[in-house]
Amino acid sequence: MAFTIADLKKGEYGIIIDSSSEDIPLKLLEMGCLPENQVELLHLAPFGDPMYLNINGCHLAIRKETAALITIEKHSI
Amino acid sequence: MSKQINVALIGNPNTGKTSVFNALTGLNQKVGNYPGITVDKKEGICKLDRGLKAHILDLPGTYSLNASSLDENVVIELLLNKNDKDYPDIAVIVSDVENLKRNLLVFTQIKDLKIPTILVINMADRMKSRGISLDIDILEKELHTKVAIVSTRKNEGINHLKHLISNYKSISTTPCLDTSTIDQPYFDRLKTAFPNQELYKLWLVISQDANFGKMDRNAIDISEFKTKSKSELKKLQQKETIKRYQFINNVLKIGQKIDVSKATGLRERLDRVLTHKVWGYVIFFIILLTIFQAIYDWATVPMDFIDATFASLSSWVKETLPPGNLTDLLAEGVITGIGGIVIFIPQIAFLFLFISVLEESGYMSRVVFLMDKIMRRFGLSGKSVVPLISGTACAIPAIMATRNIENWKERLITILVTPFTTCSARLPVYLIIIALVIPEGRFLGLSYQALTLMLLYLIGFGMAVFSAYILNKILKNNRKSFFVIEMPSYKVPLFKNVALTVIEKTKTFVFEAGKIILAISVILWLLASNGPGAAFNDAEHILETKFSSINGTELENKIAAHKLEHSYLGIIGKSIEPAIKPLGYDWKIGIGLVASFAAREVFVSTLAIIYSVGNSYEGDENTLKNRMATEVHADGTKIFTLASGISLLLFYAFAMQCMGTLAIVKRETNSWKWPIIQLVGMSAIAYIVALIAFQFIN
């Protein structure tokens, strides 16, 4: 089974494989959420959602349900 | 030579675009509106070399030319319309040195529209601490542009930027990306169909129409190319974005070096505390308390001063000018009315000061991050926190601040419930009623009166959240919710930016609210000093005969009261008295209520006018309070009792009494449906709650 950003734990990072799902807003892609870019989970908000990410040097937060649409290849540090 | 060139400032949010704008224009700026929409239009004038002048337009922040909000759409509308009087001779793209890669996306798009473009790399003072070094020559060559390295914080690089703008004619318009490579067959067809049009512009028109149907660009008929489905268009936009990033990556690979080991971890250290599951909330709570402390304690010093000044101005006018209708209008109508507006300035200014500091520093995004999950339970978004806090100053800017909420349902609910938060216009009403009916005394060291005020704030927030919860159950959601928020790096706010924001917002509030309050004050005064028939016009004669035993001040007061009762205003009040009697109000309060439906803050000045018209007392608030305390019903019982006071407080807490808010809701939701629902719903809640409270306590 493929991993998604929602599976990341704090401090873990991965490489985006696919972010072409219909439900991913274009704005997120424009902020660098594109295949081959690195994504790192910096913080989780209280109650585990939203997720504070560093995608390709860009710091942003998205909700878990959106994060679950972006598949990644997981790497450990 | 006095040629003026048009400069458009464009860039991502949080890049310090407004700082650059402020640095270029100084106080030579004004804020207006784009016609028909409530997006702020900031423009200013900047003097350049050789007597050249630049008209600078600060466009709303945008991540790309694919608009997803009204604000972003303004940018595209302008850039696609060469006939617009503001169409730029040159575009200045402001980027932030830490996020150059992402900032360059919109840069490449604007380059491809063949508009001469300058790249500003702002926040250059942070390069060293982030371990970033740039090769400007390579960047200029690869991006076909001129680069200005700027630090608005240290005021460096602005002159160089001005110099570059002056020489705008020498700037290349070579595009960054060959549009047709996005999808060769599709764009070839497009090119054949419209040989005279810029390909990228065509593409933007097509892809924008998918998002924003209502645009009128009659020059180009693209109907036959609309056949592409929305998902196909999105795939192409995604492809375009990937291609642009490939280009940007190749440029930055040779033009930018980042030595991560030199980067300092301020963001990481602050985030660890500020987004902590305990400390994060504690800090947020302390900040909120500080804001309220400032608004309701520190602001009282200048407010008392303003109050006293206007009271003495009013009596000065009355004593100095020759007595007559005009003097009365000036002293009792106009000056009292203006005083009622000016008194809000300290509170509004404090609130905007805090909000602008929180936004500028980057902290507000952390609050959004912290609150999102909790707010979502009530059908709101983390981004609803900002409007709900701003709502404590004024619901109008608060409702405009909902624009960055992506999900329509969450945004609508935020718009609908924001007017429940206790705005500063309710404050004077609360203060005078509390002083009248809540006994003095302390509970755990806190005065009953202060506790009541705090309780009213909590009731306001509670009602906002509760009604959001109900609305969330009622309203249907037909769109997937999504939420993206940039977490900007922490910055010490620039004094100039904060000061300009505070001045600007306060000014807008004073003039917008001022117009309404002033107009209503004058109308009220006219209605109160005129009346039909003998009961009003022969009041002196009637009462002199009736009370032949008294004279002097006592008689004068009797005459004044009789006149007011039979004036047009009195007739209006009397006619609604049956409806408000169950809430514990008399017709004088009724007049206050009617006037308040235009704007709540009118209540106190209305009562001041009602109680001061034609009488010999001074009209300052303390006297007004004493007069209110002595008001009695026909049967001799007091009007302002604990029961009627609480009932009145609750009525003001919930009722939708603000024309300005209704107008802005109509604009933002683009229909009369929602403001009408708000007006009827909130007023019904107010009436019922006030009724229950009065009947219960009484």
Side-chain angles (χ1 to χ4, degrees), chain B residues 142 148 172 414 422 428 618:
Chain B
E142 295 294 322
S172 140
T414 312
T422 306
E618 288 306 316

Short mmCIF file of all heavy atoms in Angstrom, two decimals, chain B residues 142 148 172 414 422 428 618:
data_model
loop_
_atom_site.label_atom_id
_atom_site.label_comp_id
_atom_site.label_asym_id
_atom_site.label_seq_id
_atom_site.Cartn_x
_atom_site.Cartn_y
_atom_site.Cartn_z
N GLU B 142 19.12 34.78 -16.86
CA GLU B 142 18.24 33.62 -17.09
C GLU B 142 16.76 34.00 -17.07
O GLU B 142 15.95 33.39 -17.74
CB GLU B 142 18.51 32.55 -16.03
CG GLU B 142 19.90 31.94 -16.08
CD GLU B 142 20.14 31.14 -17.35
OE1 GLU B 142 19.19 30.46 -17.80
OE2 GLU B 142 21.25 31.22 -17.90
N ALA B 148 16.14 43.84 -8.35
CA ALA B 148 16.46 44.80 -7.29
C ALA B 148 16.47 44.06 -5.97
O ALA B 148 15.47 43.45 -5.59
CB ALA B 148 15.44 45.92 -7.26
N SER B 172 13.46 43.77 -20.94
CA SER B 172 13.10 42.76 -21.92
C SER B 172 11.70 42.21 -21.65
O SER B 172 11.24 42.16 -20.52
CB SER B 172 14.13 41.64 -21.88
OG SER B 172 13.51 40.40 -22.01
N THR B 414 -19.27 31.73 8.74
CA THR B 414 -18.49 32.77 9.43
C THR B 414 -19.13 34.14 9.23
O THR B 414 -19.28 34.91 10.18
CB THR B 414 -17.04 32.78 8.92
OG1 THR B 414 -16.54 31.46 8.91
CG2 THR B 414 -16.17 33.65 9.80
N THR B 422 -19.27 40.84 20.07
CA THR B 422 -19.56 42.16 20.60
C THR B 422 -18.69 43.21 19.94
O THR B 422 -17.52 43.35 20.27
CB THR B 422 -19.29 42.14 22.12
OG1 THR B 422 -20.05 41.08 22.67
CG2 THR B 422 -19.69 43.45 22.75
N PRO B 428 -20.81 51.43 24.05
CA PRO B 428 -21.40 52.55 24.79
C PRO B 428 -22.79 52.21 25.35
O PRO B 428 -23.13 52.66 26.46
CB PRO B 428 -21.49 53.67 23.74
CG PRO B 428 -21.10 53.09 22.45
CD PRO B 428 -20.47 51.78 22.68
N GLU B 618 -27.14 70.15 31.07
CA GLU B 618 -26.04 69.91 30.14
C GLU B 618 -26.17 68.48 29.61
O GLU B 618 -26.68 67.60 30.30
CB GLU B 618 -24.69 70.05 30.85
CG GLU B 618 -24.34 71.47 31.20
CD GLU B 618 -24.39 72.39 29.99
OE1 GLU B 618 -23.88 71.98 28.94
OE2 GLU B 618 -24.96 73.48 30.11
#
